[in-house]
Structures are given as structure tokens and as C-alpha cells.
Amino acid sequence: MDKGDRPTDGDESADRDERNRSESATAHDGGGGVSDELEDEASDGAGGDAPDTEPEAGSRPEAGSRPEAEQSGEPDRADAYDGASHGADSHDEAPRDGEDIATKAGLGSTRSSDGDPDESFLYRFRHDREGALMWIREMLSSVAVVLLVGLLLFGVSGVWPPMVAVESGSMEPNMQVGDLVFVTEPGRLAPDAAENGVGVVTHEVGQEVDYRTFGSYGSVMIYTPPGRTGSPIIHRARFHVTEGENWYDRADDRYHNAVDCESLANCPAPHDGYITLGDNNGAYDQASGLSPPVRAEWVNGVARVRVPYLGYIRLVATGQVELNEAIARTVGSSLSPASSGFSAAG
């Protein structure tokens, strides 16, 4: 090779400068990136066989090929969204469809029902099948039923209380101690034979018209004479007298021991009224001094129906009869009769 054909030092320097600029440009584009020749080969092979492996859809770019947004300091929005979703999935479980529907519809809100103590207590009071609330509910229900029945009976009878308990044996055998007697106010449900304002048919009139109640003729009435501190008296009306009447001849001598009107108490009659007698007693109430002739205004009511044994509930509750005595009488044991009291004094 001739000297004229050899490159000069200036040319070699120019070539080296050009190579350096090319290498620096390549390093700036990716540092270890694919050369132009490899890129040409890759573009030529795109129409041929596909490469064995493809980059994953969610794979991150290589360190040397970050997008311009990362190079400028801005976070990758897609990566941030993926990270947030991944964190939510790893910590919180998605709500079930049934729960979402119930919550949106306002149904099954356990937190709201638990947070309302009044509603919870009311539900338990109505639905508990055991425990204190159940016993309180049953007790109140029983009391309510009793009061309702009492109010209905009051509406029919017109007096309060509409029922009285027999406390003595003065009306035996037609009324027993412990009987509960339904009473109506004077004049209510009066029979046709009652020709007075109190609805009372006397024993004397009952024999004539064949009117019977509680095993004998005439009406049984409840009355309270003036000055009486005990219970009202429940006896049968025997006959009616007028003021100043000598009723000795009308009286049955089995129920007094007088020989004439002057020796018979309340004779002549001090005022109009009824001569009364307990079916099991040996003397008229007026002959024994228990009461003067019973004025119409002293009558509290007229006995209509009796229910055996139920009166013991009241007698035991008020302490007038001991529980063991009530049980013994109920089963038929013979014990001394109870003293005169609320509605069966004799």
C-alpha cells in the first residue's frame, strides 16, 4: 500500500470521534440496548416464527427502558391502581351479594336492631319462651283476662264487685262456704213476680207463684244495715212488712221464741222493709237483733248464680280462711264453718 493511500492522522481522529459519538448515543438510548442489526433481525423475523416466549402482560419494563412519565418523577397510574387493588384484596374480603342486597333494602340490619334496647326488650317480652320475661308476660296476661271478665260481668250486673264469696254456713245447704255468687244490682233482671223496685221476690210470694232460687222459694239478697262494720249479709227475703205492722201472726214460730208482738224484736215494724232469714239459721234476722226490717235502699244486690269453691280464692287471699282449711273443705273434710264475713254473714 502506498503512502498516499494510508489514512492520515486527522482522518483516524475523525473516525474515532464518530465512533465515540455513536457509542455514547447508544448508551444514552438504553445502555446495553439492542443494536441496529439485532433490531433489523427482529423485524425480519416478525413475519416468520413467533418467539418461544412473550413478555407477560403485567410484567414491568426493564430498568433501562422506563417510560418518560417515570423518568420525569410521575408515578405510574396503572401500577398504583394495581397495587391498591392487590392491597384491598389481601386485607378486605368483598361483601357477599346477599348482604349487599339486604343492606340496600334496609332488611336484616342487625346493628340497628341491637342498638335499639327498647325494640329488643319488646321483642323478647313478646317471644321469650322461658325466663323472667316469660313469667311476667303470663302473669300480666292472666291479670288482664281476669279484669276483662270482671268488666264484662260488671256490665251485665251493674254492681262492683259483681261477685261475692260466701263466708259462713248460714245459707247451707243451698249455698256453701267458698261459693262464688254472681250478683245483679237491685231491679236488674227482675222477674215478673217482683212487684217492687229492687227486683226481690219474697218467700211468701214465691210460694204463691212457684218462684224458686237456690233450692227454695223467693230471692236471696245481699244487704248492709246501717252501722254494720262487717261484711254484707246474704240471706233470703221471707216477707215484706209496712211501718207499724204487727207481723207476729205472719211469722213462722220456728224462727222466733216470742209469745206475742211485744216480746218479738222489731215488732211492730219500725218502718217498711223485708223480714229476712238465713236458710240454715234458727231465727229471723229481725228477731235475733241482727238487723231491723231491711229497707229497699239497704239492698246491695240480688244473688243470681253460684260457682262452687271459687270463692276460696278470695277468702284465702284476704286471710279469712286458711289455705289448709280451704283445701280440706274442697275435698270434703268436715271442719268448723268459717265465721261470718264478706257476703255470707248469718
Side-chain angles (χ1 to χ4, degrees):
M1 182 175 181
D2 294 337
K3 294 180 179 181
D5 296 334
R6 294 178 179 177
T8 63
D9 292 337
D11 294 335
E12 291 178 357
S13 298
D15 291 338
R16 285 196 298 270
D17 292 341
E18 182 177 359
R19 286 196 299 270
N20 289 336
R21 285 194 300 270
S22 176
E23 290 175 358
S24 63
T26 302
H28 178 72
D29 291 337
V34 183
S35 63
D36 294 336
E37 294 177 358
L38 293 177
E39 290 178 358
D40 293 337
E41 292 177 1
S43 62
D44 294 339
D49 296 336
D52 295 338
T53 60
E54 294 181 1
E56 295 181 358
S59 63
R60 297 179 180 272
E62 295 295 332
S65 60
R66 297 179 63 83
E68 294 180 0
E70 286 186 348
Q71 293 179 4
S72 62
E74 296 180 2
D76 189 349
R77 296 181 179 178
D79 291 345
Y81 178 79
D82 292 340
S85 300
H86 178 72
D89 293 339
S90 62
H91 292 87
D92 298 330
E93 184 179 357
R96 298 178 181 178
D97 294 340
E99 294 177 354
D100 291 342
I101 295 173
T103 303
K104 291 179 180 179
L107 302 175
S109 181
T110 306
R111 182 177 301 175
S112 62
S113 62
D114 293 342
D116 189 353
D118 294 335
E119 181 178 355
S120 177
F121 176 81
L122 180 61
Y123 180 85
R124 290 177 54 203
F125 179 78
R126 294 176 57 190
H127 296 88
D128 276 6
R129 292 295 180 265
E130 59 183 9
L133 290 179
M134 183 272 291
W135 288 107
I136 294 174
R137 182 183 69 243
E138 296 301 323
M139 181 181 66
L140 292 178
S141 299
S142 301
V143 172
V145 170
V146 171
L147 289 177
L148 179 60
V149 172
L151 290 175
L152 291 175
L153 292 176
F154 170 70
V156 174
S157 67
V159 295
W160 188 265
M163 293 177 289
V164 294
V166 177
E167 300 175 2
S168 78
S170 65
M171 285 295 294
E172 292 179 354
N174 300 315
M175 287 185 179
Q176 303 286 339
V177 176
D179 287 352
L180 194 66
V181 180
F182 177 67
V183 180
T184 60
E185 68 176 337
R188 180 168 293 201
L189 303 178
D192 295 336
E195 298 178 353
N196 48 62
V198 295
V200 172
V201 178
T202 64
H203 182 274
E204 186 177 69
V205 175
Q207 286 181 313
E208 297 175 1
V209 299
D210 194 25
Y211 178 81
R212 302 171 65 96
T213 62
F214 300 101
S216 185
Y217 295 107
S219 301
V220 176
M221 62 184 188
I222 298 91
Y223 70 93
T224 305
R228 181 172 177 82
T229 57
S231 300
I233 300 169
I234 179 169
H235 282 172
R236 194 178 302 274
R238 299 293 294 193
F239 53 92
H240 187 269
V241 296
T242 58
E243 182 179 358
E245 179 183 347
N246 180 351
W247 53 275
Y248 176 82
D249 295 334
R250 297 176 61 189
D252 189 332
D253 56 9
R254 291 178 300 175
Y255 304 120
H256 66 84
N257 55 6
V259 295
D260 53 24
C261 182
E262 286 74 14
S263 60
L264 180 61
N266 292 295
C267 184
H271 52 255
D272 295 354
Y274 294 98
I275 304 299
T276 55
L277 173 70
D279 290 352
N280 196 39
N281 287 354
Y284 295 112
D285 297 344
Q286 290 68 36
S288 65
L290 183 63
S291 171
V294 180
R295 292 180 180 271
E297 55 266 28
W298 300 350
V299 178
N300 306 124
V302 180
R304 299 299 180 186
V305 181
R306 76 179 182 98
V307 182
Y309 308 122
L310 286 185
Y312 276 123
I313 297 176
R314 182 192 180 279
L315 298 179
V316 172
T318 56
Q320 294 169 285
V321 175
E322 296 296 330
L323 179 60
N324 58 350
E325 183 180 0
I327 295 174
R329 287 177 178 272
T330 302
V331 298
S333 299
S334 58
L335 294 175
S336 59
S339 61
S340 300
F342 174 65
S343 61

